[in-house]
Amino acid sequence: QVQLQESGPGLVKPSETLSLLCTVSGYSIRSAYYWGWIRQSPGKGLEWIGTIYHSGTTYHNPSLQSRVTISVDTSKNQFSLKLSSVTAADTAVYYCARALQNIFDYWGQGTLVTVSS
Amino acid sequence: DIVLTQSPGTLSSSPGERATLPCRASQSVSNNYLAWYQQKPGQAPRLLIYGASSRATGIPHRFSGSGSGTDFTLTIDRLEPEDFAVYYCQQYGSSPITFGQGTRLEIK
């Protein structure tokens, strides 16, 4: 059974970098799927952040592109998200998910990240 | 960006009834690449429908999707108590991927 689990700090200071890790189990990240990050906040609803393939090819939401780095570590079956220069507007529940043609069929449980000093 | 509008924001129905949830796109969704998700409190979204009308694995037949171009609908026949949740549409035909704001289906 495919499972995804987000991990990382729940509190980040303004202007710093948010870093999250997604650990995948029950499925090899090298196989024929993409892996994505989506966030959900009360103000903006669900927002696609970006997607990565095991080869390292990435796609980002242009609204966040300059601040987002998504990478993959196939040896650990993990992929990660870094979002720089965060503000209170980046406070949200962050989800990692498996994607085929940008359809998200398996999701992690989500992790709340609060941006505050 | 394609804006997806889900109106009403809240829909009230009773168990056993049929619920119809609309999703309207600001421009035509390429290849009808439109998905629907269900979200319950404290849980991640769950994929229900993709390609506008194809049910995801394990989704009951009472859930169906229809529509094309800019107008799409999620229909839930014979509502079960566990169906009362928030439903989101998502388009994946154009970048960036976008989601609607959701319709909350509540018990009347």
Side-chain angles (χ1 to χ4, degrees):
Chain A
Q1 181 181 349
V2 182
Q3 292 185 313
L4 296 92
Q5 179 68 58
E6 305 89 352
S7 58
L11 181 64
V12 181
K13 290 182 168 55
S15 80
E16 294 190 345
T17 296
L18 178 161
S19 295
L20 294 175
L21 192 64
C22 182
T23 301
V24 180
S25 59
Y27 194 85
S28 172
I29 211 166
R30 291 191 186 90
S31 299
Y33 279 87
Y34 285 73
W35 306 89
W37 289 97
I38 304 105
R39 68 182 183 181
Q40 185 173 31
S41 60
K44 296 194 74 175
L46 287 163
E47 181 179 28
W48 171 66
I49 299 170
T51 306
I52 190 166
Y53 195 56
H54 65 75
S55 64
T57 301
T58 56
Y59 304 89
H60 302 109
N61 192 324
S63 68
L64 300 168
Q65 188 165 355
S66 63
R67 299 195 291 133
V68 169
T69 302
I70 298 175
S71 58
V72 64
D73 186 339
T74 56
S75 66
K76 295 182 179 178
N77 227 38
Q78 296 173 328
F79 61 105
S80 64
L81 168 69
K82 293 188 187 299
L83 181 65
S84 63
S85 305
V86 297
T87 69
D90 294 309
T91 293
V93 175
Y94 285 76
Y95 294 101
C96 60
R98 189 179 80 166
L100 183 63
Q101 283 192 310
N102 290 319
I103 304 161
F104 300 103
D105 62 349
Y106 284 94
W107 297 61
Q109 65 185 28
T111 187
L112 173 62
V113 179
T114 301
V115 179
S116 176
S117 55
Chain B
D1 298 7
I2 294 180
V3 176
L4 298 177
T5 300
Q6 293 186 253
S7 181
T10 302
L11 182 66
S12 298
S13 294
S14 299
E17 291 185 340
R18 168 184 289 184
T20 302
L21 287 69
C23 174
R24 173 163 288 179
S26 60
Q27 55 189 282
S28 185
V29 176
S30 179
N31 297 310
N32 294 327
Y33 281 170
L34 192 288
W36 289 94
Y37 298 84
Q38 175 194 69
Q39 187 177 34
K40 296 180 180 179
Q43 297 183 16
R46 172 195 180 198
L47 176 66
L48 299 175
I49 302 286
Y50 63 94
S53 60
S54 297
R55 264 186 303 277
T57 303
I59 301 304
H61 282 71
R62 65 180 182 273
F63 290 90
S64 63
S66 62
S68 64
T70 60
D71 290 290
F72 299 88
T73 302
L74 174 69
T75 300
I76 313 171
D77 287 322
R78 300 179 302 279
L79 283 166
E80 297 282 347
E82 62 266 28
D83 298 336
F84 292 91
V86 181
Y87 292 85
Y88 296 94
C89 55
Q90 173 220 345
Q91 70 80 24
Y92 52 98
S94 303
S95 185
I97 298 161
T98 51
F99 293 85
Q101 287 295 101
T103 292
R104 179 180 304 278
L105 179 60
E106 65 173 23
I107 300 176
K108 187 186 292 183

